[in-house]
Amino acid sequence: MALWGISTNSENAANNYAIPKFQLETDRNTSPWNTFADVRGWIQRRYKTTVNSGISTRYFDEVLVPVTGINTTNTGGTTGIGTAGPVAVFFEDPNQASSISVGGGATTGIATNTTGYVHVVFNELVFAGAGSTVLIRTFDANDANESTAIVGTAVSNTGTQYAWAGPAADHGSPNVYTNFNGQITNRVEFAFTSPSSVLAANVNFLSTTINSTVSAGSTVIYVASLTGVTAGISSITVGTAITTRTVVAVGDTFVTIGSASTVPSVIGITTAVTFSTRTNATKLKIDVSRGFVGVITDGSNGVGVISSFTSQFGDVILRNVAGAGTTSGVGLGTTTLTVR
């Protein structure tokens, strides 16, 4: 069963946890995060809309491998998963693109005062009660100056939901749920509202040095590199003498600062110089240490699922879009969402 998510070795990020090992994260329709275990075996849910989560009502299920007891502990000699647990958590790509690329949500970000979503993916079918929460931390563009946290809340699917769980499933058909206040899925969607305003920070983009002595009272500063420096946008810091002064003009080998920002003392050659850009943006990061809080139960036995985002497999389960975040691979979503 190793290729199908149950191995005799540890389940971890390197082998995709307790989910099928052969699936890749490069397309939302074949993503391992749409694959889960229920009474039928390993199921791949194929969504018919851009909403790939428990609030979608249009999808069909494909039975990849029929395995009795895979969603339990042990049944008929099958080594089962046991209690359902989270295998991935990420911000939904705001673009909801079909295929994932560097142009995913991490690049475009999200606007202020806008609804966004966090997806928590489980390796089994779960019943997620509306009102369950995740916590989102907020930082400036330098990943510093943490501000007020945001709560993401599991919403309710208002349509009829179906699940291969309970008495009907034992007789070859799904149970029908018309009044369940929550989501019956392996991929639970938590909604949040982005901040109404963003944080400001000076983001460094170039480190260089002074290459010609600067006299006291001067507004012209000679530097070894000007890569990316733009008048009216970039700021300069020189040692302890000048701190984040606006660049008003850029020459071939020098920059000019305003007359109100003259150099207070002689600055020698090789003194460190840093250029920065004033950036108005807030970075949102899922609080992995908190996990989720609320009532989410295992579809096979009704007991509470594992709520920690780290305890089951012993490592962080954040996933990301190519070119964003810090974990390896290509993912449906991103580890960091920027509010602009």
Side-chain angles (χ1 to χ4, degrees):
M1 293 301 295
L3 290 177
W4 294 97
I6 293 296
S7 69
T8 56
N9 302 313
S10 64
E11 300 290 342
N12 51 52
N15 65 16
N16 271 8
Y17 308 104
I19 54 178
K21 305 295 186 287
F22 67 89
Q23 293 183 320
L24 302 177
E25 301 174 43
T26 54
D27 186 275
R28 66 169 56 244
N29 293 319
T30 58
S31 166
W33 315 132
N34 292 343
T35 299
F36 57 92
D38 67 13
V39 296
R40 297 168 290 177
W42 280 115
I43 308 302
Q44 183 170 339
R45 181 153 290 179
R46 296 183 178 272
Y47 292 95
K48 304 296 288 183
T49 70
T50 57
V51 179
N52 281 22
S53 70
I55 65 172
S56 175
T57 57
R58 295 187 59 205
Y59 59 82
F60 67 90
D61 288 347
E62 177 184 352
V63 180
L64 295 178
V65 180
V67 186
T68 301
I70 191 70
N71 63 324
T72 60
T73 302
N74 283 286
T75 300
T78 298
T79 300
I81 295 172
T83 302
V87 293
V89 57
F90 46 79
F91 289 105
E92 180 185 67
D93 174 5
N95 295 329
Q96 294 186 323
S98 294
S99 59
I100 300 305
S101 68
V102 177
T107 301
T108 58
I110 187 173
T112 56
N113 202 33
T114 300
T115 300
Y117 299 96
V118 171
H119 287 192
V120 178
V121 181
F122 293 87
N123 50 12
E124 298 181 39
L125 184 77
V126 300
F127 286 69
S132 298
T133 62
V134 294
L135 195 66
I136 300 167
R137 302 171 68 184
T138 62
F139 301 86
D140 66 20
N142 285 321
D143 296 319
N145 298 316
E146 185 168 4
S147 187
T148 305
I150 300 169
V151 176
T153 304
V155 296
S156 183
N157 186 327
T158 57
T160 300
Q161 300 184 75
Y162 303 87
W164 289 76
D170 295 333
H171 297 88
S173 61
N175 278 66
V176 180
Y177 299 84
T178 56
N179 296 304
F180 180 72
N181 185 23
Q183 303 170 46
I184 304 174
T185 181
N186 78 302
R187 190 161 164 171
V188 183
E189 183 162 289
F190 294 77
F192 66 91
T193 301
S194 62
S196 58
S197 61
V198 296
L199 302 173
N202 289 299
V203 179
N204 297 338
F205 67 88
L206 175 63
S207 295
T208 184
T209 57
I210 296 292
N211 64 356
S212 180
T213 300
V214 181
S215 302
S218 176
T219 58
V220 176
I221 303 171
Y222 289 87
V223 294
S225 175
L226 290 167
T227 303
V229 179
T230 304
I233 296 177
S234 304
S235 296
I236 185 172
T237 296
V238 183
T240 58
I242 297 176
T243 303
T244 57
R245 302 293 174 82
T246 301
V247 174
V248 298
V250 179
D252 293 336
T253 59
F254 64 88
V255 296
T256 303
I257 58 178
S259 57
S261 304
T262 55
V263 175
S265 59
V266 174
I267 301 176
I269 296 173
T270 72
T271 300
V273 175
T274 301
F275 287 99
S276 61
T277 300
R278 190 67 169 172
T279 302
N280 296 316
T282 296
K283 286 186 175 182
L284 307 182
K285 298 188 178 185
I286 300 165
D287 190 341
V288 176
S289 63
R290 178 181 182 269
F292 74 83
V293 175
V295 179
I296 301 181
T297 58
D298 192 308
S300 66
N301 55 22
V303 303
V305 302
I306 297 169
S307 61
S308 170
F309 289 161
T310 59
S311 64
Q312 185 179 25
F313 301 112
D315 55 7
V316 175
I317 59 174
L318 281 172
R319 312 304 292 187
N320 67 290
V321 166
T326 56
T327 60
S328 60
V330 179
L332 276 169
T334 177
T335 61
T336 301
L337 190 62
T338 300
V339 184
R340 302 183 188 280

